[in-house]
């Protein structure tokens, strides 16, 4: 399974080493500023032992697009886990030219509420916290592993 670990800027090398050490069977997929994508078959409990990662996201997929409708269709087509009767959305949008974070969240909340048949929680984090990270035209989609930040 693929994961995206958010780390404090400047700690990427340290986090990469910790991932290798703590998650022995892991494989580095990509490393960039403040984030590392890796694969492992270990249980979530073991992944949540990481201390240099601020947050870990189960990465369901990624798409190259700057078109909001195309992104929505992609996200709706992903396989989402069963988790409670509610969901929340945390979005990070940097460098998108055709939409803002609030527009993405609004459209995504309506579309996912229909797809998942769950209630969208706008003001508080739900057990299923959908994560959408946009960096220019690269969009990462997943859900938060665990209920709390690892820090």
């Amino acid at each position: 399974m693929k994961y995206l670990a958010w780390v404090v800027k400047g700690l990427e090398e340290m986090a990469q080493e910790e991932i290798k050490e703590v998650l022995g069977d892991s494989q580095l997929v990509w490393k960039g500023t403040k984030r590392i994508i890796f694969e492992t078959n270990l249980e979530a409990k073991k992944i949540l032992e990481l201390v240099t990662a601020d947050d870990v996201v189960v990465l369901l997929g990624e798409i190259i697009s700057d078109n909001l409708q195309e992104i929505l269709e992609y996200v709706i087509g992903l396989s989402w886990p069963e988790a409670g009767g509610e969901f929340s959305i945390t979005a990070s949008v940097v460098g998108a030219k055709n939409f803002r974070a609030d527009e993405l969240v609004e459209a995504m909340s309506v579309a996912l509420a229909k797809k998942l048949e769950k209630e969208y929680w706008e003001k508080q984090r739900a057990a299923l916290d959908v994560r959408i990270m946009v960096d220019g035209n690269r969009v990462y989609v997943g859900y938060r592993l665990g209920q709390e930040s690892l820090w």
Side-chain angles (χ1 to χ4, degrees):
M1 191 166 249
K2 271 189 186 178
Y3 298 89
L4 187 150
W6 286 99
V7 299
V8 173
K9 187 175 181 177
L11 296 183
E12 297 89 355
E13 290 293 328
M14 186 183 299
Q16 180 181 345
E17 289 303 315
E18 182 193 26
I19 289 168
K20 283 184 205 172
E21 189 176 304
V22 174
L23 313 176
D25 83 327
S26 67
Q27 182 177 352
L28 177 69
V29 174
W30 181 83
K31 180 178 67 178
T33 303
K34 296 172 58 175
R35 56 191 180 255
I36 298 172
I37 297 175
F38 64 95
E39 288 185 87
T40 184
N41 292 319
L42 294 175
E43 293 181 23
K45 181 179 176 182
K46 187 69 175 171
I47 297 165
L48 292 172
E49 291 177 11
L50 296 172
V51 295
T52 55
D54 178 41
D55 221 348
V56 177
V57 172
V58 177
L59 194 59
L60 296 179
E62 59 185 274
I63 181 173
I64 304 289
S65 178
D66 62 358
N67 179 286
L68 184 56
Q69 187 59 40
E70 187 175 80
I71 294 167
L72 285 172
E73 290 170 9
Y74 177 77
V75 170
I76 296 307
L78 295 171
S79 294
W80 292 92
E82 293 295 323
E86 309 83 24
F87 72 97
S88 54
I89 298 175
T90 302
S92 170
V93 177
V94 177
K97 295 178 181 157
N98 296 323
F99 56 87
R100 298 183 318 265
D102 62 325
E103 294 170 326
L104 175 64
V105 170
E106 184 177 338
M108 196 66 61
S109 65
V110 171
L112 277 176
K114 288 179 188 173
K115 156 88 175 177
L116 302 175
E117 298 179 349
K118 296 179 185 287
E119 180 184 350
Y120 169 60
W121 282 3
E122 181 179 5
K123 301 289 185 197
Q124 66 188 80
R125 187 166 289 141
L128 177 58
D129 187 31
V130 173
R131 297 296 177 102
I132 303 169
M133 294 129 310
V134 179
D135 188 358
N137 67 346
R138 182 172 296 273
V139 182
Y140 302 96
V141 184
Y143 60 93
R144 185 180 204 178
L145 182 65
Q147 296 297 308
E148 303 293 328
S149 173
L150 300 183
W151 271 28

